Amino acid sequence: MIKKALGRSNVQTKKITCFFCSIFFLLFFISSANAQTGAIRGKITDSLEAPLPGVSVTVKGTKIGTSTNASGEFTLNNVPARSTIVVSYVGLATQELTLSAGQTTLNLTMHPDVTDMQDVVVTGFQRIDKKKFTGAAVTLKASDVKIDGVIDVSRMLEGRAAGVSVQNVSSTFGAAPKVRIRGATSINGENKPLWVVDGVVLEDIVNISNDQLSSGDPTTLLGSSVAGINANDIETFDILKDAAATALYGARAMNGVVVITTKKGRSGKLNIAYTGNFSTQLKPYYGEYNIMNSAQQMSVLGELERKGILNSDILSNPNYGVYGKMFDLISKPDANGNFIVINETESKAAFLKKYALANTDWFDILFQNSLVQEHSLSISGGSEKSQSFFSTSFYNDGGWTIADNVKRFTLNFRNNYNFSDRLTAGFLTVGSVRQQKAPGALSRVSNPVSGQFDRDFDINPFSYALNTSRTVTPYDENGELEYFRRNFAPFNIIDELRNNRLSIDVLDLKLQGELGYKITPHLRYEFIGALRYVKSTREHEITENANMANAYRANDNATIASRNKFLYTDPDNPSAPPVVVLPFGGFYNRTEDKLISYDIRNSLNYTNTFAEKHLVTVLLGQQVKSADRQNFSNTGYGYQYDNGGIPFVDYRILKQTIESNFIYYGMGKEYDRFAAYYLNTQYTYNGKYNLYGTVRYDGSNKLGSSREARWLPTWSFGGAWNMEEEPFLQDVWWVDQLKLRASYGLTASLGPATNTGVVLRSLTTNRTFPLERESVIQIANLENSDLTWEKNYQTNIGLDAGLFKGRVNMSLDVYQRKSFDLISLIKTGGIGGEPIKAANYADMDAHGGELLLSGRIFQKRDWGWRSTITFGYSTTKITNAKNQPIIFDLVKAEGGNTVGYPVNSLFSIRYNGLEHTTGVPTFVNEKGEVSPNVYLQDQNISNLVFEGPVDPKFNGGFSNTFNYKNFSLNIFLTYQAGNKIRLYPAFRTSYSDFDAMPKEFLDRWAMLNDEQVTTIPSVLEAYYRYLVNASGASPYNNYNYSTARVADGGFVRLKTVSLTYTFSQSLLKKFGLNSLSVTGVAANPWLIYADPKLKGQDPEFFNTGGVAQPIQKQFTLSIKAGL
Amino acid sequence: MKRIFLYASCCLLFTAGVGCKKYLEKEPDNRAQVNTPEKVSQLLGTAYPQANYQAFAETMSDNVADIGYDIGGSAGNVIHDPFFFIDTKENEQDSPEFYWYGCYSAIAAANQALQTITKASNPADYSAQKGEALVARAYAHFMLVNFFSKFYDASTAASSPGIPYVTEPENVFIKQYDRKTVQYVYEMIEKDLLEGIPLIQDKVYTVPKYHFNKAAAYAFAARFYLFKKEYDKVIQYANLAIPGNNFAANLRGWNTDYKNITDVTELFKIYAKATENANLLLVETSSLWSRYYYTSRYGLDDDKQSSIFPRPDPLTGGNFAYALYSLGGDHKLVPKINEYFVKVSVNAEIGLPYVMVPLFTVEEVLFNRAEAYAYTNNYAASITDLNTFASKRINNYSPSAHNITEARINSVFGTSNTRDGLIAAILYYKRAEFVHEGMRWFDLLRYKMPVKHSTSPDASGNVTVLAELTADDPRKVLQIPPSTELAGLPQNPR
């Protein structure tokens, strides 16, 4: 197979053909002359000594062949003496045996084909013999890393490859994990690796920035570019890490490359494989978290009442829970004129007691143990002339919460044709359809004024369960939905989740064609072309019954009207009371993203061996790539879901949006054009010394209209020394293989700036009166003729070893990376008209190391234990950047960037204890003074405390596989360390009776001198709250961003435990099956260690509301059958 | 066969190479292209400084006092630093640095427009746009040189450093600039202004009040020549700005229309409305001045208010018709600075506040002409202009009862030199008219007046001086942003 890919051939040019013909003829003649033929019988078994049916047994160089029967037995007739017998079976190592004279029986044990994957690195451009490869790359076999029941293939890499960090910032279907290969390379640009599937770059549907990834915004559901890939179709992952490995991706390769190779059909018997996964996910439960129960919560509410915070005034607040309901009932009689609650202590206490005992289990109400099913079927087979692979799958997740579910269908159809010995072709059709429902969510808005991220109408079930008081009840005593108040309108989460939903539809289709033509035995032409079309639609349906729609109609009294920000005040009549502008209906908001991309590549590949010692391979090629993206969004007002779908639009709601200069629909296009030329040369001397060099010349339109900046040459070279070939290691029995390799090169990536020419944007002016507004054009960015790509020089030194006769494999890499020309912001004098420019001037250093160690600890006939450990270390430091971050940029959970610190560093405001008289937290503020007030927009960051990077410095995994007879048990742990996490922002200046409080509040400051024993701030009395609010300070919010609210990010997680039983062949025979195995998998069952300060908060998860969900504990039963 | 393939692939490589250039010329997104006179007009919509000078100019002027911590709390740097004449590090809205950036952004838009026009195949079709671009470019430089360089004085202008006069778009990451001299900057302004004015055509504007219409351009010329002390030209351009001497009808109707507005929010809004004849040129600025100007600790106190708006007005004997409001009794204000709040999304509670700033008004043109008349010894015309002004500012104005005379002026200001009296009268009315708008600062510069910042009078009427500017104080020249060091600019002396 390797030979074929490298273009070495068994087909000759005319002259040589003639020559060889005569030799063949001669050989044939000789063998015919010896024509003693006979029958050979035998039995083929697997390593467990079970018979293997369907094994192909052929005589090399002839057409004689057969396959084994159900008992693994075969008979071959008319076999020439001393022939070579070839025994092959998919997934097992092919063996060749030359018959000894007079031999008539052949019994053979076949072993799994491990060499097949270990020996080749697939770069997407080439398949390179691993022995000759000089770069740092990891090849993972999908069947080894696949976690049954986990749908997103990018999550399978976690802990499997040293140097690859995968952080599950959200685990909602479609949301991408934060994947970093050797850490960050860019300060403001993207840091995610390039995904390549079957030689074609997989473009993202939407570009999601580093910070957006963890935002919980609905767009993140399109973040995972691999969400449409059926994990069962994948053969291997190749993770390319250093400059030599990624060189052929040139100016896109700075962040590393993950190459996915999908399965192909093979000639031979038709194979039908079915995989069925049946999973269920555990509901979260309060025991894991740190939330007050309803009795504890009610006692705090009692304190709030005594402190004058909970009184009948809360009826004018946007949100209320139990107390609000009580005051409402006191103030209003029911239909019969009776008061359900009267304003007397006894009556009130009776009312409250009911809720104090409620202990609502929101997790139980909003989450479910649903069944997740995944069925995948593949059929493959073919002849010498054509091979096909077909697969289809269906995935159905009924939803971990009551608000979400996913269906996904995939199709993969791949045909390869060998028209002649010279001409080959392949065609792929890959498609997927996704239908997903999620709770209605809006994008969050960063508010540096108060230091919060605001998201209106957030109904994320997970954050709702964590944040809603357990005194609030979903049903009343009659079993009817019970409503409290949010946004001045009645609110019940169950009702809201029914009436406020996101529907996401994604259609993803890829057509790919490949052509190969052998021009001479040494020269091969290859073409690969792919077209991909992705269309996604996101519908946000907010019915007229949704709280979000009713909030627009909350107009109960003048106080509410004046406070309700969803009502409208006519600017021409500012003193008139605000009015309702959405009298009927809800909203129908639609967002569409479209991607059309193509990728065409032509290449010539030359391979030749000179003097039997000098192996030369040259690859020359050209590539053209394009991706056009379109985004459309529209806000539809007044859609009446219950009334025939007729919109009712009050003109004033449009007037309101126009007057506030909000654009109620929009469309944007992006065009990505890419062209490149590349040349790669490999040279091997005597199988020992390898040299590898690549030059690539890339052109892109992304930098803007300037012609000079558009092109960039990148290059790399490397060398490898196969030391085991040296005489001095020939006799060392315990060294099977030892390779030292080194590489150096320049890689690049496009930064976020696009202004090689001036960038002009249209906008509508912000003027008070609509009639005075006009459409103007603004200089968004001045021309920067110095703009170029972000680049880095990478040095990598690695050592690969195979020791003790295949028992131990080791791979060690150390690297250093100097990034330069990184885009960062700099404050210029502003004389050109752009005070803060983004330009290529920043530098960053990174270094790290990786270790992979795997081995068979013991292997007996029935017993076996294999173990793999991966370890990665990476650290970055920004050595030059002149951006001026404000405090808020650095203290937020995602971290920020400033010179002298790692990329995405987390800083904190220095906490300085609680105030003696009020229990209000104090800090060292931006001026260096002790104060409850910190101005989060200040640029003086010198008083902040550096906590650590947000990205882990260390990460890896530890996998152990035990097998006993037909059982196989895998225990897989992952770990990370060296990073810091901002704790959940639990503290607020004021709390309503709707809010849940963490149990820390039980230790809060309650009286004078408590500050000496606790760091938990007080719940403010009404008067102090007034003072704090009046002073403009937000000490409670500052507390969330202080040194008191940081935890260590290190953890050890039991990622999976899986137990597989493989049915023995003898049993399967009865059912006509080839193979059958049953696997039980527990995914993420146990977080073994995490910082105790987290108190249940998942160290990977960013609880940002919206559509974000933490990773679930999932149990899967997987059945795999082959026919 | 193999040759055909070889040739074919070579051809493919070659044609791809040729096609690449065009292929890569596609802009990466749907950014705007400026290629028609209409598009250039749109680009010129941003050729006006979208930054507000009112906050720092007013706070540096003698219109403010320290109202005290108990009432005003502590003020942010944006207000605190100008009050104490500190070179502020603040670069957010309403800071001098923000204004510097605003002016140069406006200049960049004008230069981009001019470059487009030069490169166009039909430059003649762009003459109106060229006029606007030149005048807008002159205006932004004019404001910069007055704030950030030593105020124009014919005797020192050739030796004091100016500000970079930028005439072409910047196209490199860091470009070096030269401050040259105030003289040079003034010459360049005059050149652009005089070249631009005749080209301006009001008919190309969709919203003329937000662009250099003819009247506004003439008003700018009148102010320019007033600063340059070429008084004949002031009169010439003032007359062109308001043709037919039709000032009275175009002045703000404080004693008529405004008087009838009972709702203060209405009053706030009308001041910077385009339909007000008095407004010749408006610009939208990102600014919080509407919030600060009557809530900040350093502002118009009771004492300042009664000295700026004396009851009665000694020149006419009548009372001012200005709407004088107070907040909590201590902060005084004239409701004129209004906020337009643009939320970040339709239901957000955060957003950016904007203030519409009248850059040129009929009132200013009238004052400038009156001042020029005084300097050209046409005292009668100057007094007539003052009477025109008073006729729109005095309650129940009656020409007979409230007539301003030379004798009255001289007696009120205690002088026998009528010109001195006239100048004092003009500056006094101007101070009242433009309170909160920062215009006073320019008069303090022009007449090299010292400035004292004090506390509000205590119970016994005593004040403490907190900060002081002498006549020639170097701090009268605002410090240029420190980041201009990258562009090679020296700082102003301190």
Side-chain angles (χ1 to χ4, degrees), chain A residues 447 517 552 565 571 575 622 625 659 671 677 701 707 754 760 766 772-774 777 785 827 829 833 837, chain B residues 1 13 17 23 26 28 31-32 42 46 91 97 100 105 170-172 211 263 269 274 340 347 350 354:
Chain A
N447 182 346
Y517 184 77
Y552 278 81
K565 64 178 177 175
S575 46
Q622 167 266 337
K625 214 149 56 75
E659 276 161 2
Y671 307 95
Y677 301 94
N701 73 327
R707 286 181 193 172
T754 62
L760 302 168
N766 292 308
E772 296 177 13
R773 289 181 204 152
E774 56 188 318
I777 294 171
S785 52
K827 206 164 122 187
K837 282 189 172 186
Chain B
M1 183 72 175
L13 283 170
Y23 175 74
K26 182 87 186 163
R31 50 186 64 171
Q42 290 193 332
T46 56
N91 60 14
E97 189 167 330
W100 168 279
S105 296
E170 186 175 279
N171 59 3
V172 293
H211 294 266
D263 183 354
K269 293 181 84 165
Y340 172 54
N347 296 319
I350 57 165
Y354 285 81

Side-chain angles (χ1 to χ4, degrees), chain A residues 177-210:
Chain A
K178 195 163 145 187
V179 182
R180 297 282 179 269
I181 297 178
R182 297 188 160 177
T185 58
S186 173
I187 301 171
N188 293 296
E190 291 169 5
N191 283 315
K192 55 192 172 198
L194 190 68
W195 290 85
V196 175
V197 180
D198 291 325
V200 174
V201 171
L202 190 69
E203 301 285 350
D204 292 326
I205 309 171
V206 286
N207 281 320
I208 291 184
S209 68
N210 298 342

Side-chain angles (χ1 to χ4, degrees), chain B residues 320-439:
Chain B
F320 281 122
Y322 293 110
L324 301 176
Y325 281 78
S326 70
L327 179 81
D330 301 290
H331 295 284
K332 304 293 174 184
L333 69 142
V334 177
K336 54 160 70 164
I337 315 289
N338 188 44
E339 177 169 304
Y340 172 54
F341 190 69
V342 180
K343 297 173 185 174
V344 292
S345 74
V346 76
N347 296 319
E349 277 159 351
I350 57 165
L352 268 184
Y354 285 81
V355 170
M356 307 303 125
V357 178
L359 298 182
F360 290 100
T361 59
V362 175
E363 284 83 3
E364 191 208 340
V365 178
L366 182 65
F367 285 128
N368 292 350
R369 188 174 74 167
E371 200 173 329
Y373 277 141
Y375 280 109
T376 52
N377 301 322
N378 192 348
Y379 299 150
S382 184
I383 292 169
T384 308
D385 282 350
L386 288 182
N387 274 314
T388 306
F389 176 74
S391 72
K392 294 291 174 184
R393 292 294 177 273
I394 301 301
N395 271 335
N396 308 316
Y397 181 79
S398 125
S400 52
H402 299 131
N403 194 32
I404 303 168
T405 60
E406 192 175 331
R408 185 94 190 204
I409 289 168
N410 287 347
S411 89
V412 167
F413 293 103
T415 175
S416 56
N417 182 332
T418 306
R419 179 187 286 169
D420 290 351
L422 271 171
I423 301 301
I426 291 163
L427 294 186
Y428 150 66
Y429 273 153
K430 228 178 149 177
R431 186 180 183 188
E433 176 64 23
F434 295 115
V435 73
H436 307 310
E437 293 183 66
M439 291 289 275

